[in-house]
Structure formats: C-alpha cells, structure tokens
Amino acid sequence: MTRRTIRAALLSVTLAVSASYVHAGQVEQQLESRVTTLAAGTAAATQSEITASVFIPEFYALRSYAPAWFDDTTATALFAELDRGIAQGFRAQDFHIDDLRAAYAKAQSTQNAGDIATYDILASDAVAKLLNYSIFGKVDPAKLDGNWNFERLVLQQNPPQVVNAFLEGDSITALMDQVLLKAPQYNRLMRALAYYRDIASTGGWPQVPDTTTLKPGMVDEAVNALRYRLAGEFALNAGQILPPAPDTGEPASWVYDQNLVADMKVFQARHGLEADGVIGPKTFVALNRSADDRVNQIRLSLERARWIMRDLEDDYVLVNIAGGQTYYAKGDEVWITRSVTGTQYRQTPVFRDNIQYMEINPTWTVPNSIFRKDKLTRIRKDPNYLSRNGYVVKTRDGTVIPASSVDWSASNPPVTLMQKPGDNNALGQIKFMFPNAHSVYLHDTDNRDLFNRNERNLSSGCVRIEYPFEFANLLMEGDPDWSESKLQSILESGQTTRIPLPQPVPVLLTYWTAWVDGDAVQFREDLYDRDAKILDALNK
C-alpha cells in the first residue's frame, strides 16, 4: 500500500467517524423536532401516514431521542420480524414496508440526519403496529359484532418501555418471540398460509367447467381440467403448479377414473362435502374457489385466533362453529367430537368464557322465540304434543297450569314451556354451563342422527356434542369423588343434578372457515356470511 493510499484510507475513516459523531447529535435534534410536532398533531413526521402517535413520543422520550433502528443488526432483525408479521396473515401495506425499505436505503446512502429520522420514525410506527396487531388482532371484533362479549386484553406493561428495554438488552426478535401466539393451531395455520400464498403467487389453479355433474366412470372434457385443478392444490412442491394440459382429444384424459375419484373423495372430505366422488353444484363451488380465496380464509382464521386464543391454560375447549366440531385440548392431547351449531338464522355467537358446571338430567325452558316460531304451530296441530314430549306449562310468574286452560290460538300466549328430564328432552341427558348473555351452552341431544350430516349448522344457537359423557368424564378428571358409576347413578335417578367442575375450563366459540386437522387443511363455506365484512376490515 502506498503512502497516498494509506493517507486516503485514514482520511476516510476520520470522516466516517466525524460524520457518525455529527449525525448522532443531528439525528437526535431531528427526531425530537419531528416527534414533538407529531405529538402536537401540527405536522406530519414523515411523508407516510403515522398512526402510533401515542407510542412514538413516549418511546423516543425514553431514549432521549436517540435513533432506535438504524444500525445494521437492528435493522436486519426489524425487517425479519415484519416479514414474520406478514407470515401471520398481515400485509406489507399494514407496516408500510415498501416505504420503510426505501427510507432505509436512502438513509444508508445519504447518511443525512433528516433521512435517518424519517426512517427511524417509520420503523417505530411499524413496530408499534406489529406488536398491537400480533397481540390483539388488527380488527376489533366488538366494532363488527354487537354480540361480542369478550373484553380485549389489558397490557400490564407500558409498550414503549418494553420495546426500549428489549432493544437495550436482547433484541426485537426476542420480544416478538414472546409476543407470537403459541397455540399449535396458529402455527399450523401459518404454515398453511405460506403454502397457499405460494400457490396464489404462481397463478393458482385452473377452473373446472361446471356444466355437467361428473360421476365416476364418465368421459367428459372437464375431467382434464379437474386433474390439473387437484394437482395445482395438492402438488408435492408448494408453488409448482402445472398449467392445464393441451387438449389432445384423446379420451383417456377425459375419463373420470378410479384414481381421480379417490383423490376427489379426499378433496370432498376436506371441504365438508359428501365424499362420494360425485361432482355436483356444491363440489364445483369448492373446486372453483380461487387460491386467493383460500389465502384469505386462512388469514381470517389467524385473525380470529388472535382475538380469543392468547393467555390460554393448557386445558381448554374450542368450538369451531363453521366446522361443526368441538375440541378439548388437554396439554398435548386433543379430544375431538362432532358438533351441531346454529343455523344461518339462529347463529351461534363468537366469544370466550369458562365452563363452570354441568347439569345431568336437565330441564329445558323453551326460549320465547322458539316457542312462538316452532312450538305454537305444533301445539295447535297436535293437542297431545305437550304431554307426549314431557312439557309443563307455566305462567310468567312460574305457576304450573293445565295446558287446556291456555288459548293456544293467540299469537303469543302469556305462558312458558318447561320440558322435564327424559328421553325426549331437547338437551338430552346433560348440559355444560358457562352462564352468558347469549344463553348459549354445550349439551347432549335427543336427535343423534344430526351428527351424521356433513353440514351441521342446524341448532337454535346452542352447541350439541356427539359424545357428551366422554366429555363429562374428561372435564371431571382430577376430582376424586367422580367416577363412571356415579355418572350412571345420577342418570338413572332422573333427578336434575348440578355438578361443579374441579376448576373452570376456558371455552372458546370461534368461526373458522379454514383450519388444520393434523396435516390436512380444511375449508368450509361461509354459512353465516361473516367473512367478507371482517376481510374488508383486515385489508384496510
């Protein structure tokens, strides 16, 4: 190295150190000025919209307005965590990532104090959003559903203090590791989202012509598209989507053969359809949902999980209303039973509560809406309906009266029906109570054939479960006084008996039109028409 080269190198280092020193003070001044105007609401801190107007002033005041995100290591970790936010179903626009990357590149290039301040404030805004969305969800369910009754979490620590402490100690990565929802279903949904995003990014899959019902053994040109439709979704390598084969006119590619029928039955089962291999209107609807549609269904399930699945104990019950299934998670084990949930007109609400007790040999007081819409018509047609099904008639003050004393032709007789325990009781022989404003609970049923249907949104709002006594024994584990023989004894007595649980068990009623069972992604149609409104809010 020549003397001139050495001198130039030393000068370069000296200038870099000098610039770093000058920028430190200048950046602090720029940040203090811009944060002050942001807090006062008098001017924009950057050209991009900043929404964390409470977080940012507190955060930089704690740091004496020192920049937080500009050094290479922290910036790399920041962008990695924002990418992990996208993996949770958020969008790059949610964190203005394109603007943020451009601001970072400009600040690195110019080393200008104003550019560094612009980038740093954008980064702090993105982090505030990432934390908020990851913990609470982006959408506030209470604003979309007047029946929502689960209060959002209250943070026990001050977010600016927490973020600053992690930056000075561990890293933003360590903080987000703590924040990321740990529920196994959440992680499975994230993997499913990555898979379907890969498919969507390469154009998705072809549509299948739906002009003819396809039955096993048929020969039809639509079968060719069907083969590539299924290959497009279930290819071994995510994203490796085959285009439809050119139509050669060879009948072999048009035959709905047994191999394809077997694949079709798997598809139907994963979409809650009759797995008979016959492709009719409902199966065509499922086939022709786009890859983008499936991406959005998974994103919605991730958002709904964020609403209710944080801070769960190891044991909890989850009802998937759209899927017609109830899960009892006990540590690493999950017990599953089929469920019947509310119809489109009597929807099961979404909320979280705690199962506190069960009632064996329950009575059923008929809700007034069901009394007027269902029972009155039956009583008028069949004078013996009440006695045959074990109903007792009461006045509004609870006095039992003869059924013959009531004018059943009235539009709304001032009486209440109560069904006694027995084989015909609509609640079956047991119910599981978590008292709530919706009068919704889990229970047995007198009509077990309903569980064999693929679409099980058939109830008046409550949740019927297929194996209620297995469920009861699981809930009572740990109670030394509980046994199978005790359960049988109470059932045989016919007496209504309340049994408190050893400890309350959280119950989550959610509405997932996409979820993962094992390694299989399940999809359902949006019977309650809830997805579009939430997706619109999620995309804003």
Side-chain angles (χ1 to χ4, degrees), residues 71 154 224 244 307 353 484 492 517:
D71 71 85
V154 176
N224 189 45
W307 292 349
D353 215 305
E484 182 72 31
E492 290 169 5
D517 272 345

Side-chain angles (χ1 to χ4, degrees), residues 317-328 335-342 348 441-443 445 447-459 462-468 471 508-509:
V317 175
L318 186 145
V319 178
N320 182 10
I321 300 164
Q325 289 184 301
T326 294
Y327 305 79
Y328 186 15
W335 177 84
I336 305 175
T337 187
R338 291 184 289 190
S339 302
V340 173
T341 54
T348 302
Y441 42 86
L442 276 60
H443 64 87
T445 181
N447 185 358
R448 311 201 68 76
D449 290 340
L450 298 179
F451 295 112
N452 294 321
R453 299 191 184 185
N454 291 300
E455 296 178 6
R456 296 190 292 277
N457 299 100
L458 304 164
S459 80
C462 285
V463 180
R464 309 175 194 181
I465 57 176
E466 185 174 15
Y467 297 109
F471 186 54
L508 289 63
L509 285 79

Side-chain angles (χ1 to χ4, degrees), residues 189-201 205 230-241 270 291 295 298 521:
L189 283 167
M190 286 177 62
R191 290 194 293 271
L193 178 62
Y195 182 82
Y196 279 88
R197 274 178 165 167
D198 278 347
I199 295 174
S201 71
W205 44 67
L230 294 181
E233 185 171 5
F234 303 115
L236 293 178
N237 298 312
Q240 301 302 307
I241 309 307
R270 290 176 60 168
V295 164
I298 298 169
V521 186

